[in-house]
Amino acid sequence: MFSALSGTDRMAAVAAIVVAITAVISLAWAWGVLMLIPLVAALFVLFVVFKDRVAPNANLPMTRGMSLLIAGAAAALIWVVVTFQWIGYILEPPIFTLDTIQFLIGLVASLVLLFAGWRAYQADSTTAASPPPAPPAPPAA
């Protein structure tokens, strides 16, 4: 099932799994309730990526690429905001504590999720912007 995905979908799925896991851990370690937004965004990305296998008849309110881009942007934006909120704690020695490392891994994964959403959006835009095929040539007289 995972090998049938495109490269962008694999990147989005792996990043979404990492974001979801680290968001749950961040919630458990009291990084803030805002970490629910990246968790929901990551679960939505997983739904969009596996939609054809899970719910083939479901319709998204927007294009697939736009859905991935918005979810990735939400996850990355909130993770960056929470990073700035806790920057004093993150940079306080010792820097390499387990909760800080997992939080920074989640930050990187949320940025990768945003990048995967951007690539999917660009792929959708390129596909939609391609010109229609030329009409067939008239028969020779």
Side-chain angles (χ1 to χ4, degrees), residues 4 8 18 21 24 34 36 40-41 48-49 55 57-58 60 67-68 77 95 108-109 118 121-122 132 138:
T8 301
V18 173
I21 291 170
V24 168
L34 279 177
L36 281 173
V40 170
V48 171
V49 167
N57 295 330
L60 296 173
S67 298
L68 292 175
L77 177 69
I95 294 176
V108 171
W118 175 251
Y121 174 72
Q122 283 190 324

Short mmCIF file of all heavy atoms in Angstrom, two decimals, residues 4 8 18 21 24 34 36 40-41 48-49 55 57-58 60 67-68 77 95 108-109 118 121-122 132 138:
data_model
loop_
_atom_site.label_atom_id
_atom_site.label_comp_id
_atom_site.label_asym_id
_atom_site.label_seq_id
_atom_site.Cartn_x
_atom_site.Cartn_y
_atom_site.Cartn_z
N ALA A 4 2.88 1.98 -3.38
CA ALA A 4 2.10 2.45 -4.53
C ALA A 4 1.98 3.97 -4.56
O ALA A 4 1.50 4.53 -5.55
CB ALA A 4 0.72 1.82 -4.51
N THR A 8 6.06 12.31 -3.51
CA THR A 8 5.51 13.40 -2.70
C THR A 8 4.54 12.86 -1.65
O THR A 8 4.56 13.29 -0.50
CB THR A 8 4.81 14.43 -3.59
OG1 THR A 8 5.76 14.94 -4.53
CG2 THR A 8 4.26 15.57 -2.77
N VAL A 18 5.23 11.31 11.65
CA VAL A 18 6.17 11.86 12.64
C VAL A 18 5.54 13.05 13.37
O VAL A 18 5.66 13.17 14.60
CB VAL A 18 7.50 12.25 11.97
CG1 VAL A 18 8.42 12.97 12.95
CG2 VAL A 18 8.20 11.01 11.42
N ILE A 21 2.91 11.71 15.89
CA ILE A 21 3.53 11.07 17.08
C ILE A 21 4.15 12.13 17.98
O ILE A 21 3.93 12.12 19.21
CB ILE A 21 4.55 10.02 16.65
CG1 ILE A 21 3.84 8.83 16.01
CG2 ILE A 21 5.41 9.57 17.83
CD1 ILE A 21 4.76 7.84 15.34
N VAL A 24 1.51 14.22 19.83
CA VAL A 24 0.93 13.52 20.98
C VAL A 24 1.91 13.54 22.16
O VAL A 24 1.51 13.81 23.31
CB VAL A 24 0.54 12.07 20.61
CG1 VAL A 24 0.22 11.25 21.84
CG2 VAL A 24 -0.63 12.07 19.64
N LEU A 34 -2.05 24.03 21.93
CA LEU A 34 -1.96 24.36 20.51
C LEU A 34 -1.43 23.18 19.68
O LEU A 34 -1.64 23.14 18.48
CB LEU A 34 -1.06 25.57 20.29
CG LEU A 34 -1.67 26.94 20.51
CD1 LEU A 34 -0.62 28.03 20.33
CD2 LEU A 34 -2.83 27.18 19.60
N LEU A 36 -2.56 20.44 19.46
CA LEU A 36 -3.68 19.69 18.87
C LEU A 36 -3.85 20.02 17.38
O LEU A 36 -4.26 19.16 16.60
CB LEU A 36 -4.97 19.99 19.61
CG LEU A 36 -5.18 19.28 20.93
CD1 LEU A 36 -6.42 19.81 21.62
CD2 LEU A 36 -5.28 17.80 20.72
N VAL A 40 -4.18 17.30 14.38
CA VAL A 40 -5.34 17.20 13.49
C VAL A 40 -4.91 17.38 12.03
O VAL A 40 -5.40 16.68 11.13
CB VAL A 40 -6.43 18.22 13.90
CG1 VAL A 40 -7.53 18.30 12.87
CG2 VAL A 40 -6.99 17.86 15.26
N ALA A 41 -4.01 18.32 11.78
CA ALA A 41 -3.53 18.55 10.41
C ALA A 41 -2.81 17.31 9.87
O ALA A 41 -3.00 16.93 8.71
CB ALA A 41 -2.60 19.76 10.38
N VAL A 48 -6.01 12.43 3.37
CA VAL A 48 -5.95 12.86 1.98
C VAL A 48 -5.04 11.94 1.17
O VAL A 48 -5.38 11.55 0.05
CB VAL A 48 -5.48 14.33 1.88
CG1 VAL A 48 -5.19 14.73 0.44
CG2 VAL A 48 -6.51 15.26 2.49
N VAL A 49 -3.90 11.57 1.73
CA VAL A 49 -2.96 10.72 1.00
C VAL A 49 -3.56 9.34 0.73
O VAL A 49 -3.42 8.79 -0.36
CB VAL A 49 -1.63 10.61 1.77
CG1 VAL A 49 -0.75 9.51 1.21
CG2 VAL A 49 -0.89 11.94 1.73
N ALA A 55 -11.53 5.95 1.56
CA ALA A 55 -12.87 6.46 1.25
C ALA A 55 -12.87 6.96 -0.20
O ALA A 55 -12.80 8.17 -0.44
CB ALA A 55 -13.25 7.57 2.20
N ASN A 57 -15.11 7.33 -2.41
CA ASN A 57 -16.24 8.15 -2.83
C ASN A 57 -16.32 9.50 -2.14
O ASN A 57 -17.18 10.31 -2.46
CB ASN A 57 -17.56 7.38 -2.60
CG ASN A 57 -17.63 6.15 -3.47
OD1 ASN A 57 -17.07 6.11 -4.55
ND2 ASN A 57 -18.31 5.13 -2.98
N ALA A 58 -15.44 9.75 -1.17
CA ALA A 58 -15.45 11.02 -0.45
C ALA A 58 -14.90 12.13 -1.34
O ALA A 58 -13.97 11.92 -2.11
CB ALA A 58 -14.62 10.91 0.82
N LEU A 60 -13.27 16.01 -1.44
CA LEU A 60 -12.63 17.06 -0.67
C LEU A 60 -13.21 18.41 -1.07
O LEU A 60 -13.63 18.59 -2.22
CB LEU A 60 -11.13 17.05 -0.92
CG LEU A 60 -10.39 15.79 -0.47
CD1 LEU A 60 -8.94 15.84 -0.94
CD2 LEU A 60 -10.44 15.65 1.03
N SER A 67 -5.40 21.02 -0.33
CA SER A 67 -5.68 20.43 0.98
C SER A 67 -4.39 20.09 1.71
O SER A 67 -4.23 20.39 2.90
CB SER A 67 -6.52 19.16 0.83
OG SER A 67 -7.76 19.45 0.25
N LEU A 68 -3.45 19.48 1.00
CA LEU A 68 -2.17 19.13 1.62
C LEU A 68 -1.37 20.38 1.99
O LEU A 68 -0.74 20.42 3.04
CB LEU A 68 -1.35 18.23 0.69
CG LEU A 68 -1.91 16.83 0.44
CD1 LEU A 68 -1.07 16.09 -0.59
CD2 LEU A 68 -1.96 16.04 1.74
N LEU A 77 3.00 26.30 10.87
CA LEU A 77 2.81 27.60 11.50
C LEU A 77 2.63 27.48 13.00
O LEU A 77 3.27 28.18 13.78
CB LEU A 77 1.60 28.32 10.88
CG LEU A 77 1.25 29.67 11.50
CD1 LEU A 77 2.33 30.69 11.17
CD2 LEU A 77 -0.10 30.13 11.01
N ILE A 95 20.62 21.50 26.59
CA ILE A 95 19.78 21.62 25.39
C ILE A 95 19.28 20.27 24.92
O ILE A 95 18.16 20.14 24.45
CB ILE A 95 20.56 22.35 24.28
CG1 ILE A 95 20.83 23.79 24.69
CG2 ILE A 95 19.80 22.31 22.96
CD1 ILE A 95 21.66 24.56 23.72
N VAL A 108 10.88 19.96 12.57
CA VAL A 108 11.43 19.64 11.25
C VAL A 108 10.42 18.86 10.42
O VAL A 108 10.23 19.13 9.23
CB VAL A 108 12.77 18.87 11.39
CG1 VAL A 108 13.25 18.35 10.05
CG2 VAL A 108 13.83 19.77 12.03
N ALA A 109 9.74 17.91 11.03
CA ALA A 109 8.74 17.11 10.31
C ALA A 109 7.59 17.99 9.83
O ALA A 109 7.05 17.77 8.74
CB ALA A 109 8.23 15.98 11.18
N TRP A 118 3.43 21.80 -0.54
CA TRP A 118 3.76 22.74 -1.61
C TRP A 118 4.02 22.00 -2.92
O TRP A 118 3.58 22.42 -3.98
CB TRP A 118 4.97 23.57 -1.20
CG TRP A 118 5.45 24.48 -2.29
CD1 TRP A 118 6.59 24.37 -3.02
CD2 TRP A 118 4.79 25.65 -2.77
NE1 TRP A 118 6.67 25.38 -3.93
CE2 TRP A 118 5.57 26.19 -3.81
CE3 TRP A 118 3.59 26.27 -2.44
CZ2 TRP A 118 5.20 27.32 -4.50
CZ3 TRP A 118 3.23 27.42 -3.15
CH2 TRP A 118 4.02 27.93 -4.15
N TYR A 121 0.76 20.81 -4.31
CA TYR A 121 0.02 21.95 -4.86
C TYR A 121 0.58 22.35 -6.22
O TYR A 121 -0.17 22.62 -7.16
CB TYR A 121 0.08 23.13 -3.89
CG TYR A 121 -0.54 24.39 -4.43
CD1 TYR A 121 -1.92 24.49 -4.58
CD2 TYR A 121 0.26 25.47 -4.81
CE1 TYR A 121 -2.49 25.65 -5.09
CE2 TYR A 121 -0.31 26.61 -5.31
CZ TYR A 121 -1.68 26.70 -5.46
OH TYR A 121 -2.24 27.83 -5.97
N GLN A 122 1.90 22.39 -6.33
CA GLN A 122 2.52 22.73 -7.61
C GLN A 122 2.20 21.68 -8.67
O GLN A 122 1.98 22.01 -9.83
CB GLN A 122 4.02 22.90 -7.46
CG GLN A 122 4.40 24.21 -6.83
CD GLN A 122 5.88 24.46 -6.91
OE1 GLN A 122 6.68 23.54 -6.79
NE2 GLN A 122 6.26 25.70 -7.11
N PRO A 132 -5.07 22.39 -23.42
CA PRO A 132 -5.81 21.24 -23.96
C PRO A 132 -5.12 20.72 -25.21
O PRO A 132 -4.38 21.46 -25.87
CB PRO A 132 -7.19 21.82 -24.27
CG PRO A 132 -6.97 23.29 -24.42
CD PRO A 132 -5.80 23.62 -23.52
N PRO A 138 -7.22 18.59 -40.21
CA PRO A 138 -8.26 18.26 -41.18
C PRO A 138 -7.73 17.24 -42.20
O PRO A 138 -6.53 17.18 -42.45
CB PRO A 138 -8.56 19.61 -41.86
CG PRO A 138 -7.36 20.45 -41.60
CD PRO A 138 -6.75 19.95 -40.32
#
